[in-house]
C-alpha cells in the first residue's frame, strides 16, 4: 500500500466533500423549487414521508457497514491484501442479502400505507410511488459496498466525486421531466436508474484501484474476524434503532397526526438543515479515517488532544451555522417558496436547537466509532429510541402540539441521554480516564454563547425596517456574520486551539502558493 500523508488525505477529502456538497445543495434547492411549483406540497410531503419510511426499513442493514469500515483500518495499514479482500467478499454477500430482505419487507408493508398517511386518500397511485421508492433503496445496496473500502483507505473523495457527477446528470433530467411532463413516476424511474449506474461505476473504479479484490474473490474471512464483526454489528443494532427513532420518524409522526401538507413544509426546512449538515459532516467525516489510524497507535494522550481540537473545530463551524440558520431561515424560505411555507419562530428555534445539539455530537460519535465502541453505544441508543418515541407521542396525543411536540421530544432525548453519555463513553472506554466536569462546563458555555449571539443578532435584525424579502435577507446575513465573527474573535482569538488552526491554515496556504510557483 502507498504511504500517504494523513493530513494531506484529510484535507483533500474534506475540500472535495465540501465543494461538491455546496454545489449539490444548490442543485437540490433548484429541484425542490421545481418540485413544489409543478407537483405541490402534498407530493413534497409524500416524497419526505416515503424517504423516511425507507430509512426505517434500512434498519435491516444493522450497521454492518460501520463495523466493516472499522475492521478494514488495520489490514489496510498493514497492507494485507488477502485480509482486505476477504472482508470485502463478506461485505458483498451481506449487502446482497440485505437488499433482497428490504425488498421483501417493503412489498409486505405496501398494502398498509394508509396507516402512516392521514390524508393519503387525496393522492392516487400512492402504492406505485412507494414501490418505486422501495426499488431505489434496494438497488442502492448493490455494488455500493466498495465505497466503504475507499473511505477506509482515506480516498473517500473518489466516491464523493462519483456521486456528484451522476447527481448532476440525474437532476438535470428530472427537472426537465417535471417541467415538461409533471410526471412523478418518470421522476422516480430516473432516480432508480442513476442510483444503479453510480454504484456500478464506483465498483469499476475500485476494481481498477484494488486489483487484488478479483484475485482473492474467493477468500473467506477467519472465524475470529467474523466473530468480531458480529459483536460490533450487534452493538450497531442499538445505534441504528436510536438513529432511526430520533432522525427518521419525525415525518412519519407528522404525517400520521398532522397531514402530508405539513410534512411538505417541514421537509423544506429539514432540506435546508440537511444541506448544511451534510456539508459539515462530509468535511468532518473525512477526518474520521485519520482518527482511526491515530487510535491504532495506542497513544491515549495524543488521542485526547486530537479530540479536543476536533471538538473546537466542530463547535466553530456549528456556531456560525446555527446563528446564520436561526436568523436567515424564515426570510430565505419566504423568498424561496412563499409565506405559506413559513413556520413560526418558535418552531424555527427548536429546529436550530436540535441542529446545534446534533452537530456538537459529531466529535464524540466519531471517536466512538473509531474506537469500535459499538456495543456500548448501541445499548444507549435503545434507551434513546424508547425515550424519544414515548415523549413525542405524549406531546402529540396528550398536548396536541403537532410539529412542535415532535421537535421538543427530540430535544428532550438529546438532553437526557446523548449529550453526556457519548463523551463519557469515549473518555472511559477510549482514553481510559473519567470524563471531567470541565467538559460539561465548556459545553454549557459554548451553547449559551451560541444562543446569546443568535438572540442578539435576531433582535438587531428586527430593529431595521426594510421593504422586500431579499433586502431583509441580505441585511440579516450581514448582521449575522459581522456580530458572530466579532464575538467569536473576542472570545477565542487567544485560545491555543484557535492559534493551532490558524497556524495550520497558514501552512496549507503557503504550501499551496509554493506549488503554484
Amino acid at each position: 500500500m502507498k504511504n500517504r500523508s494523513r493530513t494531506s488525505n484529510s484535507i483533500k477529502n474534506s475540500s472535495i466533500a465540501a465543494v461538491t456538497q455546496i454545489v449539490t445543495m444548490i442543485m437540490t434547492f433548484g429541484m425542490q423549487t421545481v418540485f413544489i411549483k409543478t407537483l405541490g406540497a402534498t407530493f413534497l410531503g409524500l416524497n419526505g414521508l416515503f424517504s423516511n419510511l425507507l430509512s426505517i426499513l434500512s434498519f435491516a442493514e444493522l450497521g454492518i457497514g460501520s463495523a466493516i469500515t472499522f475492521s478494514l483500518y488495520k489490514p489496510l495499514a498493514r497492507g494485507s491484501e488477502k485480509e482486505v479482500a476477504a472482508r470485502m467478499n463478506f461485505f458483498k454477500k451481506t449487502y446482497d442479502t440485505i437488499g433482497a430482505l428490504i425488498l421483501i419487507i417493503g412489498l409486505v408493508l405496501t398494502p398498509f400505507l394508509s396507516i402512516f398517511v392521514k390524508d393519503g386518500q387525496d393522492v392516487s397511485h400512492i402504492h406505485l410511488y412507494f414501490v418505486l421508492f422501495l426499488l431505489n433503496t434496494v438497488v442502492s445496496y448493490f455494488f455500493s459496498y466498495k465505497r466503504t473500502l475507499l473511505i477506509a483507505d482515506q480516498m473517500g473523495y473518489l466516491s464523493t466525486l462519483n456521486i456528484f457527477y451522476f447527481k448532476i446528470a440525474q437532476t438535470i433530467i428530472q427537472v426537465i421531466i417535471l417541467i415538461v411532463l409533471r410526471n412523478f413516476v418518470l421522476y422516480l424511474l430516473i432516480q432508480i436508474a442513476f442510483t444503479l449506474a453510480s454504484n456500478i461505476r464506483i465498483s469499476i473504479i475500485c476494481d481498477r484501484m484494488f486489483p487484488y479484490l478479483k484475485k482473492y474473490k474467493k477468500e473467506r474471512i477467519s472465524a475470529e474476524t467474523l466473530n468480531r464483526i458480529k459483536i460490533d454489528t450487534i452493538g450497531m443494532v442499538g445505534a441504528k434503532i436510536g438513529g432511526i427513532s430520533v432522525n427518521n420518524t419525525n415525518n412519519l409522526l407528522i404525517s400520521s397526526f398532522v397531514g402530508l401538507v405539513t410534512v411538505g413544509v417541514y421537509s423544506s426546512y429539514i432540506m435546508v438543515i440537511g444541506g448544511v449538515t451534510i456539508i459539515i459532516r462530509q468535511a468532518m467525516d473525512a477526518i474520521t479515517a485519520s482518527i482511526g489510524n491515530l487510535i491504532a497507535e495506542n497513544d491515549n494522550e495524543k488521542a485526547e488532544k486530537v479530540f479536543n481540537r476536533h471538538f473546537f473545530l466542530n463547535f466553530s463551524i456549528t456556531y456560525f451555522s446555527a446563528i446564520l440558520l436561526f436568523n436567515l431561515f424564515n426570510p430565505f424560505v419566504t423568498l424561496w417558496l412563499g409565506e405559506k411555507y413559513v413556520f413560526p419562530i418558535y418552531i424555527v428555534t427548536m429546529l436550530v436547537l436540535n441542529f446545534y445539539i446534533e452537530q456538537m455530537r459529531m466529535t464524540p460519535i466519531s471517536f466512538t466509532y473509531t474506537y469500535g465502541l459499538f456495543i456500548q453505544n448501541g445499548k444507549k441508543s435503545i434507551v434513546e429510541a424508547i425515550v424519544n418515541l414515548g415523549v413525542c407521542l405524549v406531546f402529540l396525543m396528550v398536548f396536541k402540539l403537532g410539529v412542535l411536540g415532535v421537535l421538543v421530544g427530540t430535544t428532550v432525548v438529546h438532553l437526557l441521554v446523548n449529550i453526556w453519555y457519548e463523551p463519557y463513553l469515549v473518555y472511559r472506554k477510549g482514553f481510559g480516564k473519567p470524563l471531567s466536569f470541565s467538559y460539561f462546563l465548556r459545553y454549557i458555555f459554548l451553547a449559551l454563547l451560541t444562543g446569546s449571539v443568535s438572540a442578539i443578532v435576531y433582535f438587531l435584525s428586527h430593529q431595521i425596517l426594510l421593504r422586500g424579502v431579499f433586502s431583509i435577507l441580505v441585511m440579516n446575513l450581514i448582521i449575522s456574520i459581522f456580530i458572530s465573527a466579532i464575538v467569536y474573535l473576542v472570545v477565542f482569538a487567544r485560545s491555543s486551539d484557535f492559534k493551532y488552526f490558524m497556524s495550520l491554515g497558514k501552512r496549507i496556504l503557503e504550501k499551496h502558493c509554493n506549488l503554484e510557483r
Side-chain angles (χ1 to χ4, degrees):
M1 304 291 289
K2 294 183 289 183
N3 182 23
R4 294 181 299 274
S5 164
R6 180 186 301 151
T7 302
S8 176
N9 280 307
S10 294
I11 293 170
K12 191 171 186 178
N13 284 326
S14 299
S15 301
I16 292 177
V19 171
T20 56
Q21 194 55 50
I22 289 172
V23 177
T24 300
M25 187 169 65
I26 294 172
M27 290 192 301
T28 304
F29 278 120
M31 170 65 76
Q32 189 91 332
T33 305
V34 173
F35 195 103
I36 292 174
K37 300 299 182 184
T38 55
L39 297 180
T42 300
F43 274 94
L44 182 63
L46 197 69
N47 195 66
L49 172 64
F50 285 170
S51 295
N52 272 200
L53 273 174
L54 270 302
S55 294
I56 293 172
L57 282 185
S58 72
F59 173 73
E61 195 264 349
L62 298 175
I64 196 171
S66 298
I68 289 286
T69 302
F70 177 73
S71 75
L72 286 170
Y73 287 142
K74 288 185 178 179
L76 282 169
R78 293 195 302 264
S80 179
E81 296 181 351
K82 282 189 176 181
E83 287 187 60
V84 172
R87 284 161 171 76
M88 296 305 294
N89 293 336
F90 172 75
F91 202 9
K92 178 184 184 303
K93 289 183 179 179
T94 303
Y95 258 34
D96 287 347
T97 303
I98 289 170
L101 182 61
I102 289 176
L103 177 62
I104 294 170
I105 296 174
L107 291 175
V108 171
L109 181 65
T110 301
F112 306 100
L113 287 178
S114 58
I115 298 174
F116 307 107
V117 186
K118 184 177 182 181
D119 44 6
Q121 65 277 3
D122 298 335
V123 183
S124 57
H125 311 301
I126 191 170
H127 296 94
L128 173 62
Y129 300 146
F130 179 73
V131 170
L132 292 177
F133 264 94
L134 175 64
L135 290 176
N136 185 62
T137 299
V138 170
V139 300
S140 71
Y141 283 93
F142 301 128
F143 306 104
S144 67
Y145 70 98
K146 292 182 181 177
R147 298 182 191 276
T148 302
L149 181 55
L150 292 174
I151 294 169
D153 203 30
Q154 294 183 260
M155 291 188 290
Y157 66 91
L158 293 174
S159 174
T160 300
L161 288 173
N162 175 78
I163 294 172
F164 177 65
Y165 296 145
F166 279 91
K167 186 66 176 179
I168 291 175
Q170 175 185 320
T171 301
I172 292 172
I173 295 175
Q174 285 182 315
V175 166
I176 293 173
I177 287 173
L178 288 177
I179 293 175
V180 176
L181 301 176
R182 300 194 174 198
N183 191 306
F184 194 40
V185 172
L186 283 178
Y187 172 91
L188 296 175
L189 288 173
I190 292 299
Q191 186 170 277
I192 296 170
F194 276 90
T195 297
L196 185 59
S198 174
N199 289 348
I200 292 173
R201 176 59 182 164
I202 203 65
S203 178
I204 293 172
I205 291 173
C206 286
D207 286 340
R208 290 174 181 172
M209 294 188 64
F210 305 97
Y212 59 81
L213 292 179
K214 286 187 175 181
K215 182 179 178 181
Y216 300 116
K217 64 181 180 180
K218 294 184 179 180
E219 195 72 25
R220 297 293 178 263
I221 60 175
S222 65
E224 180 183 354
T225 302
L226 178 58
N227 186 56
R228 181 71 253 176
I229 291 174
K230 285 181 179 178
I231 292 173
D232 290 342
T233 300
I234 290 171
M236 287 303 297
V237 169
K240 290 282 287 186
I241 292 173
I244 288 171
S245 174
V246 174
N247 299 318
N248 297 115
T249 59
N250 286 358
N251 277 348
L252 184 59
L253 290 170
I254 295 170
S255 174
S256 300
F257 288 92
V258 185
L260 277 177
V261 174
T262 304
V263 174
V265 178
Y266 178 79
S267 296
S268 298
Y269 278 82
I270 292 301
M271 193 197 77
V272 177
I273 290 177
V276 176
T277 299
I278 291 173
I279 291 175
I280 298 173
R281 291 196 175 183
Q282 285 200 345
M284 297 295 290
D285 284 351
I287 306 172
T288 300
S290 297
I291 296 173
N293 292 335
L294 172 66
I295 287 172
E297 298 173 5
N298 295 317
D299 188 340
N300 286 343
E301 185 176 340
K302 187 176 181 181
E304 184 182 358
K305 188 175 182 179
V306 172
F307 176 91
N308 289 325
R309 285 177 175 168
H310 189 286
F311 184 86
F312 177 78
L313 179 61
N314 183 35
F315 161 74
S316 299
I317 298 172
T318 304
Y319 165 83
F320 287 105
S321 301
I323 293 170
L324 287 170
L325 275 174
F326 183 70
N327 289 284
L328 301 181
F329 231 146
N330 278 352
F332 175 77
V333 173
T334 302
L335 182 66
W336 174 35
L337 301 174
E339 290 187 5
K340 67 178 182 178
Y341 290 95
V342 173
F343 275 140
I345 191 62
Y346 60 87
I347 298 289
V348 175
T349 301
M350 295 307 302
L351 282 166
V352 176
L353 176 59
N354 286 332
F355 162 81
Y356 177 86
I357 297 173
E358 282 281 354
Q359 292 308 117
M360 291 300 289
R361 294 174 61 199
M362 284 180 59
T363 297
I365 286 175
S366 296
F367 277 75
T368 297
Y369 284 174
T370 50
Y371 268 114
L373 301 172
F374 301 118
I375 293 180
Q376 297 89 335
N377 195 54
K379 293 176 181 177
K380 179 273 302 182
S381 295
I382 294 174
V383 175
E384 175 187 5
I386 295 171
V387 174
N388 182 73
L389 185 59
V391 173
C392 285
L393 288 175
V394 168
F395 284 127
L396 283 169
M397 300 175 71
V398 178
F399 296 101
K400 310 293 183 182
L401 292 180
V403 177
L404 180 62
V406 173
L407 296 174
V408 171
T410 301
T411 304
V412 169
V413 74
H414 284 320
L415 296 177
L416 292 180
V417 182
N418 291 323
I419 65 171
W420 67 270
Y421 184 81
E422 288 159 349
Y424 162 81
L425 192 60
V426 172
Y427 270 80
R428 177 62 70 180
K429 301 294 184 180
F431 303 152
K433 61 188 297 187
L435 176 61
S436 66
F437 188 66
S438 61
Y439 173 88
F440 294 106
L441 289 177
R442 185 186 186 195
Y443 188 99
I444 293 170
F445 169 75
L446 296 177
L448 291 175
L449 177 68
T450 306
S452 299
V453 176
S454 297
I456 291 170
V457 172
Y458 183 81
F459 174 77
L460 292 176
S461 299
H462 282 71
Q463 302 311 302
I464 303 174
L465 300 178
L466 295 173
R467 290 185 178 180
V469 179
F470 181 75
S471 300
I472 294 173
L473 181 66
V474 173
M475 181 55 66
N476 285 9
L477 175 63
I478 294 172
I479 294 174
S480 297
I481 294 175
F482 182 71
I483 299 297
S484 60
I486 288 178
V487 174
Y488 180 86
L489 290 174
V490 169
V491 176
F492 299 109
R494 295 184 180 181
S495 70
S496 59
D497 288 327
F498 180 84
K499 291 177 180 178
Y500 168 79
F501 284 108
M502 288 298 292
S503 176
L504 178 62
K506 184 179 179 181
R507 291 199 303 271
I508 294 171
L509 184 61
E510 288 176 349
K511 183 179 179 180
H512 178 72
C513 292
N514 290 333
L515 287 174
E516 286 190 342
R517 291 173 187 171

